[in-house]
Amino acid sequence: MRVIIHPDSESASRRAAEFIAELVRRKPDCVLGLATGSTPLGTYRELIRMHRDDGLDFSQVTTFNLDEYVGLSPVHPQSYRQFMQQGLFEHINVDPNRTHVPDGRALDFETHCRLYEQQIAEAGGIDLQVLGLGSDGHIAFNAPGSSLGSRTRLKSLTGETIRDNARFFGSEDKVPRLAVTMGVGTILESRRCLLLAFGTHKAFAVRETVEGPVTAQITASALQMHRDVCCLFDEAAGRLLVRRDYYNEVEHAQRLLEQGELRALGIGRSEV
Ligand code: F6R
C-alpha cells in the first residue's frame, strides 16, 4: 500500500483528482470505479474544474459505481444515481450511456447483480476504483463480517451506516435498510484502488485498514492483499497511524524517483 498523508482534505482531493486525470489522459477509454458519499466530492469538484479549464476529456470513459440504495428510483434526490449526476456526470462530457450505477428498483436482484458484474467484465474490468472508507472500516456497503470474496449483491445496512447516512435523509427512519453493492472480491479485481479518508472520525478505521490484521471485520483491510493501492488521507484521518514517519519517507523517495532525482536517492553513486 502506498500511504500519502496530506495536511488537509483539499490538497488530498486535488492529488486524488490528479491520479484519475493522469489515467484518463494516458488511457482515454479507461474504466473508472466511482464512490459516493462526502469523501470524494472534493475530488469530483477538481475533476470538473480540470474538464472546464484544462479540457480533460471524459468522452470515452466508462464508469461503474460501487452501490445504490434499494427502493430509491434513479431520480430520487438521495439516490446515488442522482448524487453522481449532480456531483460529477452533468458537469463533464462523459457519455451517459457509459455511466453505470446499480438499479435500486430492480425486481430480480440476483440477475441484476450478475449482469452488473458481467458489464464490468465486458468493459474490460475496472482500471481505477475510487473508494471512501466507512467509520467501521467498510468499503462500498460491505459491512463488518462481509466475505472478503464477496461479489455484487444485496446487503443490509448496519446501524452505524444508517446513523452515519441519516444526515442526508433528515432522519434515521428514512434511510433505506438495503443496498446493492459491489463485493470486496469485485473491488479487489480492479487494477488499481484509490482509498480516500478524511477527518478524525475516520482515524480508527484508517489505522485498522492499513496497520491492522486482514479481517472481514474491517472489510477495507482486504486492500492489503491488493498489489496496487494508493491511500490518500488528511492529517486528521492519519493521526493514529503508527508508521506515519515511514510513509512520509517513502513518499519523499517516491517523489524524487518520479522527478528523476536519482542521485539524491544514492542511485548511480558508488561509494567504496
Ligand atoms: C459510497 C460508499 C461508502 C462510503 C463510506 C464513506 O459509495 O460506498 O462505502 O464511501 O460510507 O462515506 P463518507 O464519504 O460519506 O464518509
Side-chain angles (χ1 to χ4, degrees):
M1 276 182 165
R2 181 174 175 188
V3 177
I4 308 176
I5 303 170
H6 274 256
D8 50 57
S9 61
E10 289 77 17
S11 62
S13 298
R14 283 197 296 275
R15 187 76 179 275
E18 195 39 61
F19 268 102
I20 299 168
E22 188 273 325
L23 172 66
V24 172
R25 286 188 212 107
R26 184 166 44 82
K27 187 178 179 191
D29 61 348
C30 63
V31 179
L32 296 178
L34 299 175
T36 54
S38 40
T39 308
L41 274 174
T43 302
Y44 296 159
R45 274 195 295 272
E46 179 63 8
L47 288 175
I48 293 167
R49 190 203 63 71
M50 287 172 163
H51 169 66
R52 191 187 58 225
D53 299 347
D54 311 333
L56 186 63
D57 181 13
F58 291 88
S59 60
Q60 295 177 63
V61 170
T62 299
T63 69
F64 287 92
N65 263 80
L66 288 168
D67 39 25
E68 178 60 284
Y69 290 115
V70 164
L72 301 194
S73 85
V75 293
H76 188 287
Q78 304 309 333
S79 73
Y80 282 169
R81 164 55 80 176
Q82 268 312 296
F83 181 99
M84 291 310 299
Q85 291 300 124
Q86 290 167 15
L88 183 65
F89 297 154
E90 285 173 4
H91 309 282
I92 57 175
N93 65 335
V94 68
D95 176 351
N97 296 318
R98 288 179 187 265
T99 65
H100 304 85
V101 180
D103 185 354
R105 288 176 319 164
L107 293 177
D108 178 353
F109 278 105
E110 216 179 298
T111 306
H112 180 62
C113 293
R114 193 164 24 82
L115 286 178
Y116 201 67
E117 294 257 343
Q118 199 176 310
Q119 282 179 308
I120 294 173
E122 282 167 7
I126 292 172
D127 289 303
L128 177 64
Q129 176 66 59
V130 178
L131 295 164
L133 181 65
S135 52
D136 60 3
H138 70 241
I139 43 175
F141 271 122
N142 295 292
S146 299
S147 158
L148 301 186
S150 51
R151 314 298 310 185
T152 302
R153 69 208 182 291
L154 269 189
K155 273 299 282 185
S156 299
L157 271 57
T158 62
E160 188 164 359
T161 301
I162 291 169
R163 278 190 294 281
D164 277 355
N165 293 2
R167 64 192 194 277
F168 300 113
F169 288 85
S171 69
E172 276 183 33
D173 53 306
K174 294 208 176 98
V175 183
R177 267 34 188 179
L178 291 174
V180 185
T181 180
M182 277 190 209
V184 180
T186 320
I187 292 167
L188 291 179
E189 279 173 11
S190 310
R191 282 185 269 281
R192 193 171 202 203
C193 294
L194 188 57
L195 178 70
L196 310 176
F198 307 138
T200 189
H201 60 304
K202 299 290 174 75
F204 166 77
V206 161
R207 190 192 59 201
E208 293 301 304
T209 296
V210 176
E211 296 178 341
V214 174
T215 166
Q217 299 311 312
I218 301 282
T219 51
S221 68
L223 294 170
Q224 292 179 30
M225 307 291 290
H226 192 285
R227 56 188 283 182
D228 193 356
V229 178
C230 179
C231 303
L232 279 166
F233 305 136
D234 65 0
E235 280 286 344
R239 78 191 159 88
L240 297 180
L241 287 169
V242 174
R243 298 183 186 280
R244 38 180 308 153
D245 290 346
Y246 177 66
Y247 306 137
N248 289 337
E249 274 168 36
V250 171
E251 186 48 20
H252 178 63
Q254 179 72 29
R255 277 296 173 109
L256 290 173
L257 263 181
E258 283 167 7
Q259 290 160 6
E261 307 260 357
L262 302 188
R263 290 189 74 79
L265 290 163
I267 299 171
R269 196 174 56 201
S270 54
E271 277 168 28
V272 184

